[in-house]
Amino acid sequence: MDNFEYANPSTVKEALSLLTAGAEVLAGGTDLLSLLKDEVHKPKRLVNIKNIKALGGISKAGNNIRIGATVTLDELASSQLIRAAYPSLVQAALGITSPQIRNMGTVAGDLCQRPRCWYFRSGNGLLNKSLVENGENKYHAIFGTGSAQFVSASSLGPALMALGATVKIAGADGKTKDVPVAQFFKAPSAEGEREIALAANEIVTDILVPAPATKNATYEVRHKQALDWPLATASVALRMSGTKVTSASITLGHVGPTPVRATEAEKMLVGQTITADSAEKAGAAAVAGAKPLSQNAYKVQLAKVAVKRALLTAAGVKAV
Amino acid sequence: MAEYKWPPMEKRRVMGKRIARLDGPMKSSGRAKYPSDMNRADLLFGALLTSPHAHAKVKSIDLAAAKAIKGVTAIRIISGPGTEIQWAGTEVCAVSAITEEIARDAVKAIKVDYEVLPHLVKEDNLAKVGARAKAAGEQVTGDPDKAFADAEAKTSGDYGIPVITHCCLEPHGSVVAWGADKIDFWPSTQAVSTVGGDLAKMLELPATQVKVDCQYMGGGFGAKFPADRWGAEAARLSKESGGRPVKMFLDRATELTIAGVRPSHFAKIKVAGKKDGTITGWQSESWATGGIGGGGMAPLPYVFTNIPNRRMNHTQVSLNTGPARAWRAPNHPQASFLTCSAITDFADTIGMDPLEVFLKNVAVSARPETYKKQLAKAAELMDWKKKYTHGSKKTGTLRRGLGIGIATWGGAGHASKCKLTINADGTVEVEIGSQDIGTATRTCITQVAAETLGLPMSAIKVKLGNNSYPPSGPSGGSTTIGGVSSSTRKAAVNALEKLFEKVAPTMGVAADQLEADDSRVVAKGNPSKAMSWKQACQKIGPTPISEMGENEPRVAAREGLNTQGASGIQMAEVEVDIETGVVRIVEVVAVQDCGLVVNPKTAESQVAGALIMSVCSALMEERITDQTTGRVLNADMEFYKLAGLPDVGKLTVHMDITPEHDARGIIGLGEPCAIGGVAAIANAAANALGVRVPMVPLTPERVLAALANRRNA
Ligand SMILES: Cc1cc2nc3c(=O)[nH]c(=O)nc-3n(C[C@H](O)[C@H](O)[C@H](O)COP(=O)(O)OP(=O)(O)OC[C@H]3O[C@@H](n4cnc5c(N)ncnc54)[C@H](O)[C@@H]3O)c2cc1C
Ligand code: SF4
């Protein structure tokens, strides 16, 4: 790890002024520190944002629930406001089964974390298509785009996306902007580009989740029961009229360089009741466009099952 | 002649009792200091530069920039120009510095120029290894061709178990200080009495100069016997740094890359037999790798060694990967997995319960009666008869299945010397150049001494972990408990004899008519004639009694304190989600004999640990190499997957403690219990799925692929 400077601001404004070239935001550090140790990142300065009070807390904000950027995964999963309305978020957070990481890791950190691709983490770049395609790709994308074959590591991302959440970003010019989670994630097309729509001198300040009017759930397929990355997840949010779906939102996680929206499956469900059969069909539709690599065709099946089980869970039907 | 044999089972007060390990509180509270915990003000930190290439020739090394870094105290070249490197992670240079960070910076500043050579790091597909395959010859017994031609039933299956690493929680390494007239060596080791000599040899010094101390060590599993290149280099760095101690431990990635692996084993196995389950023929074509040296054949067919007609062919595959080291029962878990899988598949094919087929065929093993009893006991604990159904009869999304694994091991006590001292104040000290590698060696030695001297355990002070004590063998081959218990017993009996001689005149009883019991010296058959231990010891005078005891393997079996030959049966119940391929452990049952059990509690803990290792290896563990880069991709604890608590399931351990086993004396336990679990779990999954998953670990992709193959068949 190279030496770096450490800054500890107490306001967003101060933090933004410290985010000059080569500086990077430090939240819980659960991802960033391993990136530093593996020398994938070599920032000149780390700007700790955990002491900025304004970035904490979960509260009602008009029609939204506001989740502060530095809210920890544990705070998120134990918040009454969240538990009451967004089981999907709680399930996604609890899927990170290490209490240590939930205690340190933050919500914005989860969205901004870098991919776990083992070629990337060992210094071979994020878009090393030939290494991935000719090598060990069982954990890679089945919805790759161009040269991006890694998977987005965030479990909260797909859940927030399905819930229609927005990311609030503060920029160096003092301006803030609201970016829908669906646009926050993007597949890079050139080495060095980020997987998120965030400039180096910007900070995620809040996440806004629209008022709960949905039945929602996240289902995760994980090899180990203990701490392990999901092989595939699905997060769903359903608006219902009686037992009929009036609109559905389905997002797959850990299967593409960004969370993957399953538009066809969403459309199919409108007007339907969630049953084992309709959920199964939606699952099949969700993975229809998958393009697996040499070793990861099994993830197509896992994503399909995740969708089915997330839908059943959301609808209150026994999933297995 | 002193009588050493163990007191009868019913008379033991301390041995055979469920005693918690003595150093448990020290370890769980963090007060136990491991070599890697060592910190001293004058400590220097060592770091290694390792090869990024799996196969390369070192062309040149430029140390100038590294040398210029302030705080660097010494730099050494390990693999100089011209050296051919055979695996990624090979040590090229070593650096010492005043901080770990500086040492690492210096490593980064060294410039090495390599000529990169072609490498091979994968062996799962034998057709792709080309000239790296070396046939190890054919072994034929009986008439396998006829056996297969005449067979009522035949099966053929492909099975594979990959390379896994030891993944010691405390990585390999040591602290070492090169002093004026001695070298102080604090390694994390399984071999306190031999590792000093090993280091001395590497340094070309007299063995007398190396002082070894290791009070605690964080896991070795067979990989921590030698002083290792990094130990020797740490010593040389210390010398070049004016004798300041150098701490050199491998980082996690290096630990998983070069500090030892368990060889893989792949095989196509054909079994011939009768419809009643009797196996008459075996043919296996196997291959394995343990790195550049290839991989020897696991003992096939395992346990069922006397199947009358056999043909075995084995191929060694040489890879550019980190070398093999002994891994808790070398080659046995692989052999058990391959054999028990093939036999289970045979049972499935003829429509018989595998339990019946195992029971029938243990006749061709070395210990049929023991296995029969153990199979019956394990089946009872598992409720096998009630739960078992053929794999073709399972329905639903979550399917349960049962499987069996079998184990055999030697485990005779190693050469061990022990010194026991009784002082005039009644205190007792045991010194033994052994090590407690987490197996409760300290606790068991204390129990044996306390039992023999008729004292409470608290009256015994055991000193081990230092090579100034009488030498005792390395902890390998499950030989420690037999060795140290026997030498301790003999030292204690010898010392007691001396004590009896001292007190006999005062008590007016012949020395050979005295015994020690309940902190007293008592006349045999006349308990009213007694002296307290304290009073008796006052007769010792100024020179303490100090006696040796020795376990000498060649005569040990005759003496009867320890022997060899442990058997074990493991059964598993798993639940498989057939939509996701995720396998969950419901329960693993182990029935294990190891002769006389010194401490059932710590013995059960040994077995439970072994079962957890088996769960890891059956469901998760696999070293993943990348053919393009030649590197290990999962040299971390994130994708080198190990079970966490929720993955382990219920563990049921039954120590087979019977008068017959007890009469055999002590037999080692560490390895035999780590053998059958993988087979049991793999077979349970095959039963649940109604189809064999050819390769472990049982990952979702392998399980789903096996299901898809069955649908297509
Ligand atoms: C073994 C392991 C298993 C895990 N399993 C899962 C899992 O199953 N699912 C899952 O989703 N995650 C998982 N995680 C990841 C974990 O959730 C993240 O590491 C954590 O959420 C990151 O949060 P942090 O606050 O520690 O971020 P940091 O490590 O501090 O930062 C991560 C990145 O985000 C940036 N960043 C952080 N906050 C902000 C902000 N407010 N504005 C702008 N940039 C910011 C940092 O600059 C950095 O680039 C796992 C991690 C580990 C180590
Ligand atoms: S093992 Fe415990 S102390 Fe060590 S890194 Fe993990 S959580 Fe932290």
Side-chain angles (χ1 to χ4, degrees), chain A residues 32 82 116 126 214 251 264:
Chain A
L32 190 50
I82 302 294
R116 308 305 294 195
L126 187 56
T214 60
T251 308
E264 281 309 307

Side-chain angles (χ1 to χ4, degrees), chain A residues 1-2 39 116 118-119 131 135-136 138-139 221-226 228-229 231 298 301-302 305 308-309 320, chain B residues 108 122 397-398 577 579-580 582 619-620 624-626 628-629 633 638-639 641-642 644 646-647 699-701 704:
Chain A
M1 177 186 319
D2 285 353
E39 306 202 330
R116 308 305 294 195
W118 42 32
Y119 294 107
L131 270 187
E136 301 301 314
K138 67 174 178 167
Y139 299 131
V221 183
R222 216 176 332 130
H223 177 189
K224 283 166 54 175
Q225 310 293 307
D228 198 6
W229 292 91
L231 296 166
Y298 74 101
Q301 161 74 5
L302 299 189
V305 175
K308 177 175 95 173
R309 293 186 181 174
V320 202
Chain B
K108 276 190 279 171
K122 287 195 165 309
T397 305
L398 301 179
D577 183 329
E579 290 184 345
T580 61
V582 173
L619 299 188
M620 295 142 195
I624 299 172
T625 50
D626 179 54
T628 313
T629 58
L633 288 174
E638 182 174 351
F639 291 110
K641 297 189 184 188
L642 295 170
D647 297 301
T699 55
E701 75 266 29
L704 291 175

Side-chain angles (χ1 to χ4, degrees), chain B residues 162-181:
Chain B
V163 166
I164 66 172
T165 80
H166 297 69
C167 205
C168 306
L169 199 54
E170 180 184 44
H172 283 64
S174 58
V175 178
V176 53
W178 189 306
D181 51 1

Side-chain angles (χ1 to χ4, degrees), chain A residues 37-215:
Chain A
K37 282 187 188 164
D38 293 341
E39 306 202 330
V40 178
H41 282 203
K42 296 183 175 185
K44 292 200 177 66
R45 175 191 293 157
L46 290 188
V47 181
N48 176 32
I49 58 166
K50 287 257 242 187
N51 284 326
I52 303 176
K53 285 231 165 54
L55 296 182
I58 301 175
S59 55
K60 280 204 170 119
N63 274 339
N64 293 318
I65 300 246
R66 176 201 156 268
I67 304 170
T70 60
V71 164
T72 64
L73 299 167
D74 182 66
E75 284 174 76
L76 180 76
S78 11
S79 149
Q80 276 316 316
L81 272 179
I82 302 294
R83 292 174 78 93
Y86 309 110
S88 167
L89 278 180
V90 176
Q91 287 149 1
L94 293 180
I96 304 161
T97 54
S98 152
Q100 290 92 329
I101 290 181
R102 288 203 304 269
N103 286 339
M104 289 303 291
T106 64
V107 172
D110 186 272
L111 299 180
C112 300
Q113 64 176 305
R114 306 297 318 268
R116 308 305 294 195
C117 166
W118 42 32
Y119 294 107
F120 169 61
R121 297 261 166 175
S122 55
N124 290 292
L126 187 56
L127 304 180
N128 204 322
K129 197 174 167 169
S130 108
L131 270 187
V132 174
E133 288 184 351
N134 299 313
E136 301 301 314
N137 52 41
K138 67 174 178 167
Y139 299 131
H140 280 79
I142 52 172
F143 288 95
T145 54
S147 48
Q149 309 281 8
F150 63 88
V151 298
S152 164
S154 174
S155 295
L156 294 186
L160 288 168
M161 190 161 140
L163 290 168
T166 308
V167 178
K168 209 177 199 47
I169 295 171
D173 51 7
K175 291 204 189 102
T176 64
K177 58 185 172 189
D178 290 345
V179 180
V181 172
Q183 284 151 38
F184 183 70
F185 291 99
K186 59 185 189 64
S189 50
E191 205 59 71
E193 250 175 55
R194 282 297 298 269
E195 321 75 54
I196 48 175
L198 187 80
N201 55 0
E202 293 177 329
I203 295 178
V204 174
T205 56
D206 316 84
I207 289 107
L208 302 170
V209 196
T214 60
K215 289 180 181 292

